Amino acid sequence: MSVIGLEKMALGISGLTAVGIGVVILAAPHAFFASYGITVGDDPGLLSELRASAAGLAAFGVLMLLGIWRITIKPVSKIAALTVFLAFPVGRLIGLIVDGVPPTPIIGALMFELAVAALCIVAFSRRSEPVHASLSGSRTER
């Protein structure tokens, strides 16, 4: 697979994952966290915090996906993907050390996040093909 193809695949997987999880938490936080064995309750403050974080995650996902089609935004998309998929596992590992072992579905989420992070690191650390300026002044990829 070409470098560009691997980058697009990494941005696609990371973006769709972030948008999907963000939108599901926004729409149905109780159901989403119940799938992890977590009872959220009806505290409006907690629900507001969960939905706000979910909106941020979905927005980062859109930013990741835009990098597939817009070369000018691709560097930002890569940074967004690496930030999200490195920060979540780091947070979970800190929680594991400080708070103890979470339920099995959260360990599964940690493994998935580490796999996406590894894909992003491999895809984004490979040398990209050069970006060429066209006569119109826009940048294109070969």
Side-chain angles (χ1 to χ4, degrees):
M1 178 177 286
S2 72
V3 173
I4 301 299
L6 187 60
E7 285 180 352
K8 288 182 177 182
M9 184 176 81
L11 287 174
I13 290 171
S14 60
L16 288 174
T17 300
V19 168
I21 291 173
V23 168
V24 170
I25 293 173
L26 268 171
H30 294 93
F32 179 83
F33 287 105
S35 71
Y36 283 159
I38 299 170
T39 303
V40 172
D42 293 324
D43 180 355
L46 176 60
L47 290 168
S48 176
E49 288 297 314
L50 293 174
R51 290 183 203 275
S53 299
L57 181 61
F60 270 110
V62 169
L63 191 58
M64 294 172 211
L65 291 172
L66 285 174
I68 294 173
W69 299 285
R70 306 292 296 204
I71 188 170
T72 54
I73 203 166
K74 186 184 282 187
V76 175
S77 300
K78 291 177 180 179
I79 291 169
L82 285 170
T83 300
V84 167
F85 285 97
L86 290 175
F88 269 79
V90 167
R92 290 191 198 279
L93 290 172
I94 290 171
L96 195 133
I97 293 167
V98 173
D99 305 323
V101 178
T104 302
I106 292 178
I107 297 295
L110 171 62
M111 295 297 116
F112 179 78
E113 291 158 359
L114 287 171
V116 174
L119 173 64
C120 289
I121 289 170
V122 169
F124 304 154
S125 65
R126 297 171 65 185
R127 184 176 176 170
S128 296
E129 294 179 29
V131 175
H132 300 276
S134 70
L135 293 176
S136 66
S138 64
R139 296 165 42 145
T140 59
E141 287 180 312
R142 288 190 177 183

